[in-house]
């Protein structure tokens, strides 16, 4: 059974490995150079001791050279949907569309064993490729993440727990769509639609509140520049709060800015008119944030959600196939 599964899907696996190799070679070359520069130019020393002389300028120059390429790893979020559309969706849909499932079910293996073997073998291959991509991408970005933290979108998306879990979810979505619709093209379209319908809200609305954010309140006019520091926090909301704890709405904040600046361009920072206004009227700054130490916990929580969804979808696909082929 394993041999048959290998023969049926070896082409997809070999193509995926070849593509991974094509991506890995330039990343290994450029990543090795960036890691060497990170150490030789004193950036690593600045991260360890931000009070060192000239650290702000050194870090700024390093980021100018490498941030643009580092941010392009956000395209790694496309990898899971590719696995779902081009591997998961045709896995069962093609069998039903071409009628080859009848031959498979006349063999000596049971239907459940046939399904579980195929899903386990292909799913494990997809997960392994996602893990390899994650390890490679995370290694490349390590110097950038040491400076800017891993809570931002790109670093979070490519981390191993998240990327593997989301890839399994996309794969399972494709498998379920194929078992339900029994048409390859229709299953591929449905997989894309469901993936986006789940992934985008998770990115924009759910992830910031997977854990309860911490709240920091600061007095106006105390934001003096203390020099460069690694920015590892993720601020999910900020604004102004009055003495009663009421958080001002965007409309209320805009009205204050118009009152202070009279329609002219607003200027923020310690010692500015807006800071004096806040102090005179008992207003303070607040920020909801996740510290860098919450990264792993948030990764595990989000990954558990996607793995749970993947398990439910695969179980549903098995049930559909058994029910419709009984």
């Amino acid at each position: 059974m394993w041999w048959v599964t290998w023969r049926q899907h070896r082409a997809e696996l070999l193509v995926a490995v070849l593509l991974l190799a094509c991506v890995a070679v330039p990343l290994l070359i450029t990543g090795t150079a960036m890691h060497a520069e990170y150490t030789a130019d004193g950036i690593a020393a600045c991260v360890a001791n931000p009070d060192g002389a000239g650290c702000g300028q050194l870090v700024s120059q390093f980021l100018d050279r490498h941030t643009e390429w580092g941010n392009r790893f956000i395209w790694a979020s496309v990898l899971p949907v590719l696995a779902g559309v081009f591997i998961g969706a045709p896995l069962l849909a093609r069998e039903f569309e071409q009628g080859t499932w009848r031959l498979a079910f006349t063999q000596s293996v049971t239907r459940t064993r046939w399904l579980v073997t195929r899903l386990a073998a292909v799913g494990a291959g997809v997960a392994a490729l996602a893990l390899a991509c994650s390890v490679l991408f995370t290694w490349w970005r390590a110097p950038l993440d040491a400076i800017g933290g891993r809570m931002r979108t790109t670093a979070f998306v490519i981390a191993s727990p998240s990327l593997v879990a989301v890839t399994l979810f996309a794969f399972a979505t494709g498998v379920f769509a194929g078992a339900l619709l029994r048409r390859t093209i229709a299953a591929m379209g449905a997989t894309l639609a469901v993936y986006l319908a789940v992934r985008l809200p998770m990115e924009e609305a759910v992830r910031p509140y997977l854990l309860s954010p911490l709240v920091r309140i600061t007095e106006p006019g105390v934001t003096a520049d203390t020099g460069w520091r690694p920015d590892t926090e993720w601020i999910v909301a900020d604004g102004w709060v009055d003495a009663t704890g009421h958080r001002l709405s965007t409309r209320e904040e805009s009205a204050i800015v118009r009152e202070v600046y009279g329609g002219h361009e607003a200027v923020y920072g310690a010692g500015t008119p807006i800071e004096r206004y806040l102090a005179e009227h008992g207003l303070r700054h607040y920020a909801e944030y996740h510290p860098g130490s919450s990264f792993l916990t948030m990764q595990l929580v989000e990954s558990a959600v996607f793995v749970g969804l993947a398990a439910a979808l695969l179980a549903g696909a098995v049930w559909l196939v058994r029910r419709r082929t009984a």
Side-chain angles (χ1 to χ4, degrees):
M1 191 63 211
W2 292 97
W3 173 247
V4 173
T5 302
W6 156 251
R7 287 181 61 87
Q8 287 181 322
H9 298 284
R10 61 186 175 183
E12 293 98 321
L13 177 61
L14 292 175
V15 169
V17 171
L18 180 61
L19 291 175
L20 177 61
C22 292
V23 172
V25 170
L27 288 183
L28 289 172
I29 294 172
T30 58
T32 300
M34 181 176 67
H35 280 248
E37 179 185 334
Y38 176 73
T39 302
D41 288 1
I43 312 301
C46 284
V47 171
N49 180 24
D51 294 321
C55 278
Q57 183 178 0
L58 285 174
V59 171
S60 178
Q61 292 172 349
F62 181 83
L63 293 176
D64 288 343
R65 290 191 294 270
H66 301 291
T67 297
E68 181 179 355
W69 282 102
N71 288 339
R72 291 180 182 179
F73 284 115
I74 191 63
W75 289 102
S77 59
V78 176
L79 295 177
V81 74
L82 293 178
V85 169
F86 294 104
I87 299 177
L91 187 64
L92 297 180
R94 191 184 307 156
E95 296 278 356
F96 289 112
E97 201 169 36
Q98 298 176 353
T100 52
W101 65 272
R102 295 184 178 88
L103 176 61
F105 287 172
T106 60
Q107 306 303 309
S108 58
V109 297
T110 63
R111 299 178 183 186
T112 300
R113 182 183 173 188
W114 179 82
L115 285 168
V116 171
T117 300
R118 296 200 68 185
L119 296 180
V122 180
V126 167
L129 287 170
L131 178 60
C133 290
S134 175
V135 170
L136 178 64
F137 298 159
T138 301
W139 168 80
W140 195 98
R141 273 193 57 93
L144 298 177
D145 294 338
I147 296 170
R150 303 185 67 189
M151 301 295 286
R152 304 304 194 275
T153 301
T154 301
F156 199 97
V157 164
I158 66 174
S160 295
S162 177
L163 189 60
V164 174
V166 173
T167 301
L168 288 175
F169 163 71
F171 169 75
T173 301
V175 171
F176 182 82
L180 179 66
L181 301 175
R182 298 191 174 195
R183 293 291 183 271
T184 302
I185 299 300
M188 294 170 76
T191 300
L192 176 61
V194 171
Y195 176 82
L196 294 177
V198 174
R199 183 69 188 271
L200 294 180
M202 175 64 78
E203 293 271 356
E204 300 297 328
V206 178
R207 182 182 297 162
Y209 300 99
L210 287 172
L211 301 178
S212 297
L214 303 180
V215 178
R216 177 172 55 233
I217 296 179
T218 56
E219 298 295 332
V222 296
T223 56
D225 185 10
T226 57
W228 176 82
R229 290 289 186 277
D231 183 16
T232 59
E233 297 178 350
W234 179 20
I235 296 178
V236 298
D238 60 7
W240 300 331
V241 59
D242 64 19
T244 66
H246 167 70
R247 295 182 178 183
L248 275 64
S249 66
T250 302
R251 178 177 296 180
E252 291 171 320
E253 291 183 4
S254 298
I256 292 175
V257 171
R258 287 195 300 271
E259 179 181 346
V260 172
Y261 290 102
H264 298 287
E265 183 177 355
V267 179
Y268 299 93
T272 58
I274 193 67
E275 293 295 313
R276 292 195 295 270
Y277 180 95
L278 296 178
E280 292 168 359
H281 292 79
L283 298 173
R284 295 177 293 173
H285 299 279
Y286 79 88
E288 292 185 350
Y289 70 98
H290 293 290
S293 58
S294 297
F295 172 79
L296 182 57
T297 304
M298 293 186 71
Q299 279 275 314
L300 294 177
V301 171
E302 180 175 309
S303 298
V305 172
F306 280 115
V307 170
L309 291 173
L313 288 166
L314 291 176
V318 172
W319 178 81
L320 277 174
V321 173
R322 287 177 54 86
R323 179 172 178 269
R324 292 185 171 185
T325 60

